[in-house]
Amino acid sequence: MSEETLFTKIINGDIPAEIVYEDEHCFAIRDIAPKAPTHLLVIPRKPIPRLVDASSEDKALLGHLMLAVGDIAKQAGVDEAFRVVINNGAGVGQTVFHLHLHILGNKAFSEDSLGF
Ligand code: 5GP
């Protein structure tokens, strides 16, 4: 039996978290250690470990996640300016190996750089 990821435990209610959005395919929570005043994680229910582990059968799910990000950003009131981050691999800081998209808002990021 495969180990449940942290995010699967959260959506199953085994670990507490504030769920700010959920639908059939994904859910969103507040990051426990926010890097911006608004820092949400958008997580597919399907536990794909990394973005590179997604396959063509996940095409609709990946599109769904992008549309959900827009809806969740609107709901959070940051849709005029927010950044979306996906960490792929420990080398860039991925710590939870269950695909997730960070929504970072209400923070003054540099306008001409990806540095943050
Ligand atoms: P990664 O570094 O893998 O891209 O992002 C994982 C994120 O999950 C981190 O920003 C971290 O703060 C967040 N995180 C880790 N454990 C928990 C937890 O138990 N609850 C919540 N809400 N966020 C968590």
Side-chain angles (χ1 to χ4, degrees), residues 7 10-11 19-29 41-48 60-73 75 98-101 103:
F7 293 151
I10 285 176
I11 195 61
I19 295 171
V20 298
Y21 172 91
E22 69 177 309
D23 65 31
E24 191 184 349
H25 300 294
C26 69
F27 62 101
I29 59 175
L41 303 173
V42 182
I43 305 162
R45 291 178 187 274
K46 180 178 177 182
I48 300 165
L61 174 60
L62 295 178
H64 181 88
L65 290 170
M66 287 295 167
L67 294 173
V69 161
D71 288 344
I72 293 162
Q75 179 189 296
H98 180 149
L99 178 65
H100 52 283
L101 297 88
I103 294 178

Side-chain angles (χ1 to χ4, degrees), residues 6-7 10 15 17 29-33 35 39 41 87 93-96 100 102:
L6 171 70
F7 293 151
I10 285 176
I15 292 178
I29 59 175
R30 291 191 192 286
D31 198 291
I32 203 170
K35 303 287 191 303
H39 187 172
L41 303 173
N87 289 321
Q94 186 177 1
T95 57
V96 180
H100 52 283
H102 297 255

Side-chain angles (χ1 to χ4, degrees), residues 20 30 37-40 68-83 103-107:
V20 298
R30 291 191 192 286
T38 299
H39 187 172
L40 304 173
V69 161
D71 288 344
I72 293 162
K74 283 179 197 151
Q75 179 189 296
V78 297
D79 50 303
E80 283 303 315
F82 66 98
R83 181 166 285 178
I103 294 178
L104 297 148
N106 286 318
K107 178 168 170 156

